[in-house]
Amino acid sequence: MVQLGYFTLDTLDIEKARAFYGALFGWRFDEAASGPTYAHVADSEPAFGFTKVERTRDFAHLYFRVDDVDALCKRVTELGGKAAVPSDSASGRSVVVSDDQGVSFSLWRPAAGF
């Protein structure tokens, strides 16, 4: 079985990304594995981090599994991001959001059995 093993999110500003996602999800960063152009999320499974780029590019859309889609939508907007209206499907409740730099991702609460 192939599973997501590692990924990075592009960002124009590493410090803003650290502040936004740290505040949103409570993530901490591994300072020994981070630098001026990369921030590694501590104790992440699968492993991932943020890469500084000069301009964002297209990449696979990511879904972060969360307990409360609606509460995190509110938190996204409080932190300067944007959130669409959440919707329900057979796979659960989800919503596309973007951070305070315009990078989009989704929040997803799986339905029972997923």
Side-chain angles (χ1 to χ4, degrees):
M1 171 186 282
V2 175
Q3 296 178 335
L4 182 63
Y6 185 88
F7 64 92
T8 61
L9 296 174
D10 291 348
T11 183
L12 300 174
D13 186 318
I14 291 286
E15 292 308 312
K16 282 183 78 172
R18 289 169 64 116
F20 182 90
Y21 290 97
L24 180 62
F25 294 126
W27 289 345
R28 296 176 301 101
F29 294 86
D30 181 343
E31 297 305 323
S34 298
T37 61
Y38 178 74
H40 186 75
V41 177
D43 305 316
S44 56
E45 184 60 40
F48 70 98
F50 296 88
T51 302
K52 183 178 181 346
V53 296
E54 294 303 314
R55 97 186 128 165
T56 57
R57 60 189 163 141
D58 291 340
F59 54 89
H61 193 78
L62 304 173
Y63 287 76
F64 292 101
R65 188 176 184 149
V66 299
D67 292 329
D68 190 334
V69 168
D70 298 278
L72 283 177
C73 280
K74 182 178 178 186
R75 187 70 176 131
V76 163
T77 59
E78 290 170 354
L79 292 169
K82 295 183 180 178
V85 176
S87 63
D88 295 299
S89 69
S91 66
R93 185 164 181 79
S94 65
V95 64
V96 175
V97 299
S98 63
D99 68 16
D100 60 343
Q101 296 182 68
V103 176
S104 67
F105 58 96
S106 286
L107 304 172
W108 173 59
R109 186 192 71 223
F114 271 84

